[in-house]
Amino acid sequence: MSIVVTGATGKLGRHVVEQLLEKVPADRVTVVVRDAHKAAGFAARGVRIAVADYNAPESFDGVFAAGDRVLLISGSEVDKGRVQQHKVVIDAARAAGVALLAYTSAPGRLTAALADDHRGTEEALLASGVPYTLLRNGWYHENYTENLAPVLEHGTVVAAAGEGRVSSAARADYAAAAVAVLTGEGHENATYELGGDHAWSFAEYAAELSRQTGREITYTPVTPEALTGILTGAGLPGPLAGVLADVDASIAKGELVVDGGDLSRLAGRPTTPLADAIAAALKG
């Protein structure tokens, strides 16, 4: 039996594999990647490498075995039919008779278009009959802290979130929850709503940036339409800019507040404070 992680060389996937290797022998871990060279570091540590592509169903032949526990990390190609891509993995998992398939989804309250592919994937997974765990990941701290340059350059946080709050957490926190499910018992056919322990507003985010940088950083609320224009002007593709503005509109409605405590319970510790993530990003 292997614990299999798809998308293992992505930003979340690497955290998951690193934390898995702290709990189980490397020869029990299989990573599914499109480019074996990117997983060379894992291979050197004894991890099994499987090369497969969500867009090539035949590439998943033989990747899974009966009894495997699989983490399907949602694909990043939002313009290439992600539900069908994910269904390729689900179908292969069903054919192999895996013991569990965990999927990184989106919060159940989220109505932004970003959630549509996740809802479609959840429906396909439940219809498949494969034992499942839905890991409905909230927003990542890194969605903000990895993009501090323009904020620091202009001295302002620009968002279309109004006074809405976000229960974000670090990627490492969400990875810890996934590892707990993959290595633990009793998670079959469970749904977890995952988010940080403390929700924050963008005004509070700007205030924390000010505190840590010693500079005045303000919060500038704008409309979703204005944000879309700002993002496209900065070079983002129009569809991606629209998705991000749509998420901000959901934040304004409170849809990214996840306060049930599932994430810290699964991780076995409090989630990473936003202030810690800011500090780490500023240190570079």
Side-chain angles (χ1 to χ4, degrees), residues 141 144 157-168 198-209 217-221 248 251-252 254 256-257 274-275 278:
H141 290 331
Y144 303 103
V157 174
V158 179
E163 297 179 3
R165 304 180 75 81
V166 183
S167 300
S168 65
H198 302 288
W200 49 270
S201 69
F202 283 85
E204 291 167 345
Y205 174 51
E208 181 61 26
L209 284 170
I217 307 292
T218 61
Y219 168 42
T220 303
D248 271 16
I251 291 172
L256 276 179
V257 173
L274 177 64
I278 291 172

Side-chain angles (χ1 to χ4, degrees), residues 79-264:
D79 59 339
K80 292 191 177 181
R82 285 196 298 174
V83 176
Q84 186 56 42
Q85 289 181 329
H86 297 158
K87 196 169 182 299
V88 166
V89 179
I90 294 168
D91 290 345
R94 180 184 60 208
V98 305
L100 181 73
L101 195 156
Y103 171 65
T104 60
S105 191
R109 298 172 64 187
L110 186 64
T111 62
L114 180 70
D116 292 347
D117 287 348
H118 293 298
R119 298 290 93 85
T121 299
E122 288 185 5
E123 291 172 6
L125 181 51
L126 269 61
S128 73
V130 173
Y132 68 86
T133 306
L134 299 181
L135 298 167
R136 288 179 168 170
N137 288 359
W139 225 219
Y140 301 140
H141 290 331
E142 291 89 346
N143 290 345
Y144 303 103
T145 60
E146 288 181 349
N147 298 287
L148 286 179
V151 173
L152 299 178
E153 178 184 353
H154 298 290
T156 190
V157 174
V158 179
E163 297 179 3
R165 304 180 75 81
V166 183
S167 300
S168 65
R171 286 196 187 100
D173 298 333
Y174 293 105
V179 168
V181 166
L182 294 169
T183 61
E185 301 297 334
H187 301 291
E188 292 82 2
N189 303 332
T191 298
Y192 297 112
E193 298 284 347
L194 305 178
D197 293 337
H198 302 288
W200 49 270
S201 69
F202 283 85
E204 291 167 345
Y205 174 51
E208 181 61 26
L209 284 170
S210 298
R211 186 185 72 79
Q212 292 200 30
T213 62
R215 299 170 48 193
E216 183 180 359
I217 307 292
T218 61
Y219 168 42
T220 303
V222 297
T223 65
E225 294 76 18
L227 182 62
T228 300
I230 291 168
L231 294 174
T232 53
L236 262 67
L240 177 57
V243 165
L244 295 177
D246 192 31
V247 169
D248 271 16
S250 286
I251 291 172
K253 293 184 284 187
E255 294 177 2
L256 276 179
V257 173
V258 182
D259 53 12
D262 283 352
L263 182 52
S264 54

